[in-house]
Amino acid sequence: MRRFRFFRVFKLLLMCNMEYDAVRGEMVQAGTFRSPVAVALYFGFILHYITQYSYSDAGSFVANFSVIGNYVITNLTILLLVVEQFLRRRKWLTLGRLMLSYVTCRNELFKEIPTFNLGLVLILLQITTVVGSYTLLFVLQLLKHAANSNFLETIASLITSMANVYVNISLVFVQFFAHFVCWEMQQLTLHLKTCPIGSLLDASDRLVKIKRAIAETLGVRLLLALFHLLVKVSFFGYLGLVYCADRRVSGNFWFEVIHVMATVLINNSAVLLGVSYSFDCVERKEQEFKNAIKSLQYEATEEHSEDYLNFLDLINLKLMTESPKITACGLFTVNLQVFYNVFAAIVTYIMILFQFRDFEK
């Protein structure tokens, strides 16, 4: 089914262990052990590279801590994401089957009305930005340091870039689920005048159930990826400001520092805004559907029967109950407010790192 092609794509990227089987017409688990094996090989190479790498004690303790902390938090996040995906594979499969069941029932009720798919465009734009910018950064660094680097260092640089892309794209992956709910809620609103209200409400209840499953399944992934984003941007922001303040950058190194900071800031800002916007859009589209249902009561005339008017009253009472929110492990609701809160936390952590630097002096 074309609607679920993204499962197959992200399965190849080791972010998903299920896909739609067109022959059997159902969601099935696939590639369950690919991610653990790939991560084991990845960490084996990282450990080998660490033993071969010569370290320098130059720089302050806080600067060294920021550099090491960046690599540790990235690798630890990848490990936890893969372990979480493997342990919760049944929940992932349940979520996929709920989505497939909904699409099957919805196709029997009505056909989709083609509209401009802004959510999908934004997701594709994020993927292009993340992959393109990290690829450009790797190529430029490779060209600059090709004469002084060996094969092992080149491979390590490539794997490091791929690790950063993996964590960023994992935040893009979760947006497909939010986009699914947004799109289907919009379709229910568009068919409000042409389909039975009861059937649309049943479909809405199915989407609410999918929302609850999304929160249960993606909560840990959202929390891990957002924490990684916060720490990474904080470390890179601190290091960039320190290099500039201490005037330890000169010549072409200026361009490299600015390029690295711009790549990290643009990519993480893009995916953070994308996640915040997509899940905020879920609540807005659901509210638009509820408002459209409520408006039927005001459009009702004396020609409608009393039973129909009472039915609308019961629907409005039902819609007054608040549907479950999509949260990161229940700690906070994922919406646009997260975008502002994360950047506020980043500024706070950068200031804390500068305070530790002052204490060290």
Side-chain angles (χ1 to χ4, degrees):
M1 187 177 292
R2 183 179 179 183
R3 188 67 185 277
F4 300 112
R5 284 188 303 182
F6 73 94
F7 282 126
R8 177 162 297 180
V9 174
F10 283 97
K11 185 198 74 173
L12 296 176
L13 296 176
L14 306 179
M15 297 182 189
C16 179
N17 50 22
M18 65 178 175
E19 65 180 358
Y20 175 72
D21 189 339
V23 177
R24 298 162 61 180
E26 62 180 11
M27 290 289 180
V28 296
Q29 285 190 340
T32 304
F33 295 98
R34 289 182 184 177
S35 297
V37 171
V39 167
L41 294 175
Y42 167 75
F43 277 97
F45 175 82
I46 291 296
L47 292 175
H48 173 72
Y49 177 73
I50 289 175
T51 59
Q52 303 295 321
Y53 186 77
S54 58
Y55 297 93
S56 173
D57 294 331
S60 66
F61 170 78
V62 180
N64 292 332
F65 172 78
S66 299
V67 173
I68 297 173
N70 170 55
Y71 285 102
V72 170
I73 197 66
T74 298
N75 293 321
L76 183 61
T77 301
I78 292 175
L79 177 62
L80 292 177
L81 285 175
V82 172
V83 170
E84 181 269 343
Q85 173 186 314
F86 180 78
L87 295 178
R88 300 167 68 90
R89 58 189 182 277
R90 292 185 178 179
K91 284 185 175 292
W92 282 91
L93 186 60
T94 300
L95 174 59
R97 288 175 174 173
L98 283 174
M99 295 168 66
L100 177 61
S101 175
Y102 174 85
V103 171
T104 302
C105 295
R106 191 258 293 150
N107 287 337
E108 297 175 357
L109 182 61
F110 59 79
K111 293 183 178 180
E112 290 185 354
I113 297 178
T115 58
F116 177 66
N117 202 335
L118 177 62
L120 184 59
V121 172
L122 294 177
I123 290 175
L124 296 178
L125 183 61
Q126 291 174 62
I127 295 175
T128 304
T129 301
V130 172
V131 176
S133 60
Y134 273 116
T135 302
L136 178 62
L137 178 62
F138 170 73
V139 171
L140 292 178
Q141 289 181 336
L142 180 62
L143 293 175
K144 181 179 179 181
H145 303 287
N148 301 323
S149 57
N150 54 35
F151 178 75
L152 184 63
E153 291 176 343
T154 302
I155 297 299
S157 178
L158 175 61
I159 291 179
T160 301
S161 298
M162 292 174 62
N164 292 321
V165 171
Y166 182 88
V167 180
N168 282 148
I169 295 296
S170 67
L171 279 175
V172 178
F173 175 48
V174 300
Q175 296 178 44
F176 278 95
F177 296 92
H179 173 259
F180 176 88
V181 178
C182 286
W183 177 263
E184 296 301 338
M185 279 292 182
Q186 183 180 10
Q187 290 295 316
L188 293 182
T189 304
L190 293 175
H191 286 86
L192 193 58
K193 299 294 182 66
T194 58
C195 294
I197 298 177
S199 300
L200 294 179
L201 287 175
D202 290 340
S204 175
D205 291 338
R206 282 173 171 264
L207 288 177
V208 171
K209 188 176 181 180
I210 291 174
K211 275 183 59 181
R212 187 179 293 109
I214 289 174
E216 294 175 355
T217 306
L218 304 182
V220 175
R221 179 174 291 254
L222 282 167
L223 185 62
L224 290 173
L226 288 174
F227 178 73
H228 168 267
L229 184 150
L230 188 154
V231 175
K232 186 178 184 65
V233 175
S234 299
F235 283 157
F236 268 93
Y238 169 78
L239 289 173
L241 292 174
V242 165
Y243 286 140
C244 295
D246 293 349
R247 301 183 182 276
R248 283 191 282 173
V249 291
S250 60
N252 294 331
F253 196 42
W254 270 106
F255 173 77
E256 186 172 350
V257 170
I258 294 174
H259 189 186
V260 171
M261 289 185 61
T263 300
V264 172
L265 184 60
I266 291 174
N267 286 339
N268 287 278
S269 299
V271 296
L272 177 60
L273 181 59
V275 169
S276 304
Y277 173 80
S278 61
F279 284 97
D280 190 78
C281 189
V282 171
E283 305 302 328
R284 288 191 290 107
K285 293 298 181 182
E286 183 179 3
Q287 191 59 46
E288 288 177 7
F289 174 72
K290 290 182 177 181
N291 292 338
I293 291 286
K294 293 176 182 178
S295 66
L296 294 177
Q297 187 175 25
Y298 302 105
E299 295 175 1
T301 62
E302 296 179 355
E303 298 177 358
H304 294 89
S305 64
E306 185 175 351
D307 291 339
Y308 177 75
L309 297 177
N310 292 334
F311 175 66
L312 291 180
D313 289 336
L314 291 175
I315 291 177
N316 287 333
L317 288 175
K318 179 181 178 181
L319 295 178
M320 289 177 64
T321 59
E322 188 174 358
S323 63
K325 305 290 185 181
I326 299 178
T327 63
C329 296
L331 297 177
F332 54 87
T333 302
V334 184
N335 51 29
L336 275 176
Q337 190 63 38
V338 172
F339 180 79
Y340 308 113
N341 292 342
V342 168
F343 267 96
I346 289 171
V347 174
T348 302
Y349 288 141
I350 291 176
M351 294 176 63
I352 292 174
L353 289 173
F354 270 106
Q355 289 177 349
F356 277 112
R357 179 170 176 264
D358 293 337
F359 292 151
E360 190 177 3
K361 291 180 178 180

